[in-house]
Amino acid sequence: MTIRTMLVDDEKLAIQGLQLRLEPYDDVEVIETCSNGREAIRKIKTEKPDLVFLDIQMPGFDGFSVVKGVMEIEPPLFVFVTAFEEHAIRAFEANAVNYLMKPVDEDKLADTIERVRLRLAEKKSAEDAEQLLDVLAEVAPERVAQFEGEDDGSSDRFEKLINVKDRGQIFRVEVESIEHIEAAGDYMCIYTGDNSLILRETMKDLERRLDPRKFQRVHRSTIVNLDQVRQVKPHTNGECFLVLDSGAEVKVSRSYRDVVARFVH
């Protein structure tokens, strides 16, 4: 699989340097380079790359503005490139695959490319499964209904305990005690009401391990245990907050309003 890649940086030398470092990767093809955020948004929408290396500090539209500007389409994977360490947290909040410090370290670039390969392979597998179900729905609809019925009636495949290695210790967390989960890049912050732990795992992988009848995404970077919701507080622009048993409040974005509908009868 060829990883169609775009480089965005207002410094010409930075783009040239990154291109040189990417040359050894036979599966990475640089299809476009951009020198500003507005141009990047336009080309991402038209070229639809798999991966974008994106400078954070640019005049006018910065890297975070570019990410926001392409959310109306299925966005590519982003790797933020920055000269400033303080941008790392915001990069993770934007669900970037990784962030790289300038000048780009070759070992960290290799690790990043491997992460990208895994993410894209995971996405391709999900797309293949969906296409297979579409074909089955046409030629054998009764089998699709049977598969779906078997899946809905079984909770054995979902985790009851999650092992979390945090601060040099391994914690065994009962899934039912988890109140909500927040994503920070490839790390998950797991909140149990009176404690919080950091798990190195992607949101997509963790979702697969949790029972969707209890754990639902309410924001692009937040999963909530529906059993621990005690109040719904309306907010502006169609958004709202869920008040949890601990008193914590979690924002529900407009994209996930259907989750709230089950609390309103």
Side-chain angles (χ1 to χ4, degrees):
M1 175 184 177
T2 299
I3 303 172
R4 301 174 67 255
T5 304
M6 183 180 295
L7 311 182
V8 182
D9 199 310
D10 63 322
E11 298 177 6
K12 188 175 181 180
L13 287 177
I15 285 183
Q16 291 173 346
L18 189 51
Q19 281 181 305
L20 286 173
R21 286 174 171 79
L22 288 171
E23 282 182 357
Y25 299 95
D26 295 334
D27 56 344
V28 176
E29 178 189 0
V30 177
I31 60 169
E32 283 284 0
T33 63
C34 302
S35 59
N36 64 74
R38 290 184 183 276
E39 180 187 14
I41 292 172
R42 185 174 68 254
K43 287 189 175 180
I44 289 171
K45 288 181 177 180
T46 56
E47 299 296 330
K48 296 181 171 57
D50 302 307
L51 172 65
V52 176
F53 285 89
L54 183 59
D55 184 25
I56 290 181
Q57 279 210 325
M58 295 183 291
F61 275 43
D62 65 7
F64 298 114
S65 299
V66 171
V67 174
K68 185 177 179 181
V70 298
M71 282 299 106
E72 65 192 53
I73 64 169
E74 183 177 350
L77 297 178
F78 286 101
V79 173
F80 285 115
V81 184
T82 177
F84 302 95
E85 184 76 32
E86 62 267 22
H87 289 307
I89 297 299
R90 284 194 68 195
F92 281 137
E93 288 175 347
N95 209 25
V97 175
N98 204 356
Y99 79 98
L100 299 171
M101 297 295 298
K102 293 181 179 180
V104 174
D105 178 83
E106 291 187 4
D107 289 339
K108 290 185 176 178
L109 178 60
D111 175 66
T112 297
I113 295 299
E114 187 57 32
R115 291 192 195 190
V116 169
R117 288 170 179 152
L118 290 172
R119 289 275 193 98
L120 291 175
E122 187 179 81
K123 179 181 177 182
K124 184 66 166 60
S125 296
E127 289 175 350
D128 288 346
E130 287 179 5
Q131 289 175 4
L132 178 59
L133 281 176
D134 288 343
V135 172
L136 278 174
E138 290 183 11
V139 301
E142 71 285 352
R143 291 298 294 148
V144 174
Q146 183 180 343
F147 293 152
E148 291 176 345
E150 289 171 354
D151 185 59
D152 288 343
S154 173
S155 61
D156 292 341
R157 65 189 179 91
F158 299 114
E159 302 281 0
K160 301 294 188 297
L161 287 169
I162 293 180
N163 293 329
V164 180
K165 186 176 181 181
D166 190 359
R167 298 182 287 273
Q169 302 180 59
I170 295 178
F171 298 86
R172 290 176 60 78
V173 180
E174 290 188 5
V175 169
E176 288 186 355
S177 72
I178 296 174
E179 190 177 69
H180 70 288
I181 302 165
E182 293 181 359
D186 286 337
Y187 292 87
M188 298 293 111
C189 300
I190 298 178
Y191 296 89
T192 60
D194 58 352
N195 196 14
S196 62
L197 298 167
I198 304 297
L199 174 67
R200 184 178 176 85
E201 188 165 349
T202 65
M203 175 77 84
K204 188 176 292 185
D205 286 340
L206 189 55
E207 273 189 302
R208 290 197 184 100
R209 299 168 63 187
L210 300 173
D211 189 340
R213 292 170 297 182
K214 292 187 176 182
F215 289 88
Q216 284 284 317
R217 189 92 70 98
V218 297
H219 191 276
R220 194 163 59 90
S221 59
T222 309
I223 295 173
V224 163
N225 182 347
L226 301 181
D227 288 344
Q228 299 214 25
V229 175
R230 72 182 189 196
Q231 184 183 354
V232 178
K233 293 173 61 175
H235 191 51
T236 57
N237 299 323
E239 297 174 333
C240 67
F241 286 92
L242 300 180
V243 182
L244 308 180
D245 283 342
S246 68
E249 296 188 3
V250 176
K251 189 175 184 179
V252 181
S253 66
R254 286 179 293 173
S255 302
Y256 297 93
R257 282 180 296 184
D258 59 313
V259 177
V260 179
R262 71 188 62 194
F263 297 106
V264 182
H265 301 288

